[in-house]
């Protein structure tokens, strides 16, 4: 088996795993879905040109999820957004919510689409996914009332009791 065929096969296997993980994240994290929706609406194609190792990956956003492939989709002549970065930079941007890390990625394309891609990358941070899972498991519990809210509620309750007492006299 040729070395290039072997590396291409390995890349495809990795892309399938990453694509599956992204699909799962999109299902579990409503905020990530909100960030992906405008990109899917426009069928945005993002080209990731990664260095060390040198790999070119295309991400196509659609309503079914994010399709990752080693080649540009047949119906497209060029991607909407191109990201040039070292692999470690992309991994850091995807695993954190850090604006500065995302801003360090060199992105080219229409300004609006680049902003949407940046928002998606920042929302995809692992911390946000973990928070989303915790909320989903715990449920949307109410926040604890402040002392002022407790006092206001107690005062309203006392006022209602006084009105009820007066009406019974």
């Amino acid at each position: 088996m040729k070395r290039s065929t072997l590396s291409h096969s390995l890349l495809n296997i990795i892309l399938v795993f990453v694509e599956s993980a992204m699909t799962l994240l999109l299902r579990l994290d409503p905020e990530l879905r909100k960030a992906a929706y405008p990109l899917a609406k426009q069928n945005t194609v993002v080209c990731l040109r990664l260095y060390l190792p040198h790999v070119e990956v295309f991400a196509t956003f659609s309503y079914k999820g994010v399709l990752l492939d080693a080649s540009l989709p047949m119906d497209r002549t060029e991607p909407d957004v191109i990201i040039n970065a070292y692999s470690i930079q992309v991994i850091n941007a995807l695993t954190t919510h850090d604006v500065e890390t995302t801003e360090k990625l060199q992105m080219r394309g229409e300004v609006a689409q680049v902003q949407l891609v940046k928002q998606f990358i920042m929302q995809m941070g692992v911390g946000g996914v973990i928070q989303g899972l915790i909320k989903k498991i715990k449920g949307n519990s109410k926040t604890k009332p402040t002392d002022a809210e407790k006092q206001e509620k107690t005062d309203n309750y006392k006022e209602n009791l006084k009105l009820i007492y007066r009406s019974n006299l």
Side-chain angles (χ1 to χ4, degrees):
M1 193 175 228
K2 289 184 179 177
R3 185 178 175 157
S4 64
T5 307
L6 184 63
S7 9
H8 188 70
S9 298
L10 181 63
L11 175 62
N12 284 335
I13 291 169
I14 291 170
L15 290 178
V16 166
F17 281 115
V18 172
E19 188 177 304
S20 299
M22 287 179 71
T23 301
L24 182 63
L25 292 176
L26 283 166
R27 285 185 183 212
L28 295 175
D29 188 357
E31 294 300 316
L32 186 60
R33 278 195 307 272
K34 285 180 191 174
Y37 182 77
L39 294 167
K41 193 174 179 181
Q42 300 171 6
N43 282 335
T44 304
V45 176
V46 177
C47 175
L48 285 163
R49 290 186 182 149
L50 305 175
Y51 307 109
L52 296 178
H54 180 68
V55 177
E56 192 170 68
V57 176
F58 295 89
T60 305
F61 289 81
S62 73
Y63 292 116
K64 295 179 181 177
V66 181
L67 173 68
L68 298 177
D69 201 356
S71 59
L72 187 65
M74 294 261 193
D75 62 336
R76 302 297 290 265
T77 56
E78 63 181 31
D80 298 305
V81 177
I82 299 172
I83 301 174
N84 294 309
Y86 287 98
S87 300
I88 194 72
Q89 287 177 302
V90 173
I91 291 168
N92 283 340
L94 291 174
T95 56
T96 66
H97 284 294
D98 189 24
V99 176
E100 189 176 309
T101 305
T102 305
E103 289 294 330
K104 285 182 183 177
L105 298 176
Q106 180 189 8
M107 294 190 197
R108 291 182 299 165
E110 269 188 45
V111 175
Q113 285 186 317
V114 167
Q115 282 305 115
L116 291 172
V117 171
K118 285 180 181 180
Q119 288 172 356
F120 178 79
I121 290 172
M122 284 188 290
Q123 187 59 46
M124 193 164 169
V126 173
V129 173
I130 292 170
Q131 287 174 354
L133 287 173
I134 290 171
K135 281 183 184 177
K136 195 164 202 101
I137 291 169
K138 283 186 172 181
N140 290 334
S141 59
K142 294 182 179 179
T143 58
K144 294 183 179 180
T146 62
D147 289 337
E149 291 172 335
K150 287 180 187 177
Q151 185 62 41
E152 183 180 343
K153 192 172 183 178
T154 304
D155 291 345
N156 287 340
Y157 183 70
K158 287 178 182 177
E159 200 62 40
N160 286 341
L161 286 176
K162 286 179 184 177
L163 290 172
I164 292 170
Y165 179 72
R166 288 182 189 156
S167 65
N168 288 336
L169 287 178

